[in-house]
Amino acid sequence: MKKFTALLVIMVLHGLLFQTAFAQEERKAMVPLPSVDDFTRGEDGWAVGLGLGIEYETAYEGSDEFGLEIDPAGAVQWRRGDNIFFWAGEAFGWRGLRNDTWLLEALVGFDEGREEGDSDKGYLDGLGDGDEGLELVLQGRRALDADWRYWLVGRVVTGENGNLGLFGVGRRFGQQNDGSGSEVNLVAVFHDSEYANNGFGITAQQAAASGLPETRISSGLRSVGVDYSYRKHINRNWQIFGEVLFEYYSSDVRSSPIARSNYETEVGIGFIYVF
């Protein structure tokens, strides 16, 4: 009887360990980064994650006004090996893993532009609405070790409103391989004159309508910043995510009358249900 009981215990433990190992393998993300949505559980085919997020953020770039905004979260994804195609909100794109150390991404998105009514205090009156347009975003991350503990990141945004570049370093916390945990990135952001003036410049016509001085911003350093991402898998289907972003503007940007604050910040939290 004792031998039978011992055998039964061993079989149960073996089954539990097998299920745990299977679950960990099934939930392994393409890269274990909390900022990268991966709802595929390591399997080829379709995957869907949908949810909501709430953000407390500045009303527009350079604003000293803050407000809450609720946005949809998640994405529809299709995976084949180390490639994922995705549709998320107003963006459609692709990301792929190469040699286990390069995470490459390309997407086409929509820039809604700034609206004159974004300022409740009327600070944008007379400036008109910013131009809307499509943007192409190219990004690459290069892991500096085998488990993506540290990496370098570069991003280029180009579109009808100019060009922007981002360069930085990242650090991941936690031992999970399923995309949960947290990470932090330190970045420097650069823009060309077209992108800079689209956000912070004031033309002669805008100056006459708004009473603000005509302003021209040169290309160069836009800001330095830090962003923190967090993701928690509650169970197989439910996830909680969060993000904190802080961006400190360069002296050139701070000289613009539009920049009523020296920085931009954003705090967001939300949930996603993975089908």
Side-chain angles (χ1 to χ4, degrees):
M1 184 64 180
K2 290 183 179 180
K3 291 183 178 180
F4 177 78
T5 303
L7 180 61
L8 181 61
V9 170
I10 292 173
M11 291 177 64
V12 170
L13 289 175
H14 181 271
L16 291 174
L17 290 173
F18 176 79
Q19 291 179 7
T20 301
F22 179 78
Q24 290 177 347
E25 181 66 25
E26 181 186 36
R27 296 173 68 89
K28 185 177 180 180
M30 189 165 66
V31 288
L33 302 181
S35 63
V36 180
D37 287 334
D38 185 353
F39 307 130
T40 65
R41 300 189 179 97
E43 299 178 355
D44 287 353
W46 290 98
V48 179
L50 297 177
L52 288 174
I54 181 169
E55 297 177 344
Y56 182 72
E57 60 183 349
T58 50
Y60 56 90
E61 292 181 340
S63 174
D64 59 358
E65 302 170 64
F66 291 82
L68 291 174
E69 183 175 347
I70 298 178
D71 294 312
V76 177
Q77 302 175 338
W78 185 81
R79 178 169 181 168
R80 184 64 180 267
D82 286 333
N83 298 281
I84 294 179
F85 296 88
F86 60 89
W87 172 60
E90 297 178 333
F92 176 80
W94 159 87
R95 70 173 59 100
L97 182 65
R98 297 295 180 266
N99 298 324
D100 294 326
T101 57
W102 282 98
L103 179 64
L104 306 177
E105 183 171 296
L107 66 87
V108 176
F110 183 73
D111 179 12
E112 296 180 350
R114 186 187 65 210
E115 297 182 1
E116 190 173 300
D118 286 344
S119 173
D120 293 334
K121 298 180 180 179
Y123 295 141
L124 300 177
D125 290 354
L127 297 181
D129 295 341
D131 294 332
E132 301 177 342
L134 294 175
E135 290 183 332
L136 173 64
V137 181
L138 303 175
Q139 178 171 278
R141 299 198 206 193
R142 173 63 164 86
L144 300 179
D145 51 13
D147 59 356
W148 283 85
R149 187 66 55 192
Y150 299 92
W151 61 86
L152 302 176
V153 59
R155 181 188 306 157
V156 175
V157 180
T158 182
E160 301 172 63
N161 296 323
N163 304 288
L164 178 143
L166 176 152
F167 306 94
V169 295
R171 166 75 158 91
R172 180 173 71 93
F173 304 93
Q175 303 299 323
Q176 305 92 325
N177 290 318
D178 57 3
S180 64
S182 61
E183 71 177 68
V184 63
N185 291 270
L186 301 175
V187 299
V189 185
F190 301 84
H191 52 199
D192 65 10
S193 59
E194 183 179 0
Y195 197 100
N197 285 285
N198 184 66
F200 296 99
I202 300 174
T203 65
Q205 183 179 1
Q206 290 173 325
S210 66
L212 298 173
E214 184 176 352
T215 303
R216 178 75 180 174
I217 306 295
S218 302
S219 60
L221 178 67
R222 170 191 173 91
S223 62
V224 292
V226 57
D227 69 86
Y228 172 83
S229 299
Y230 171 83
R231 189 180 300 269
K232 170 71 174 179
H233 291 178
I234 300 175
N235 54 36
R236 178 179 172 84
N237 300 105
W238 287 100
Q239 300 181 7
I240 294 177
F241 66 90
E243 183 178 23
V244 179
L245 170 69
F246 179 82
E247 183 180 8
Y248 188 78
Y249 294 126
S250 67
S251 58
D252 200 23
V253 172
R254 297 197 306 269
S255 67
S256 168
I258 296 175
R260 302 186 63 86
S261 176
N262 294 336
Y263 63 89
E264 179 180 353
T265 187
E266 175 183 319
V267 179
I269 190 170
F271 66 89
I272 291 176
Y273 183 85
V274 181
F275 292 85

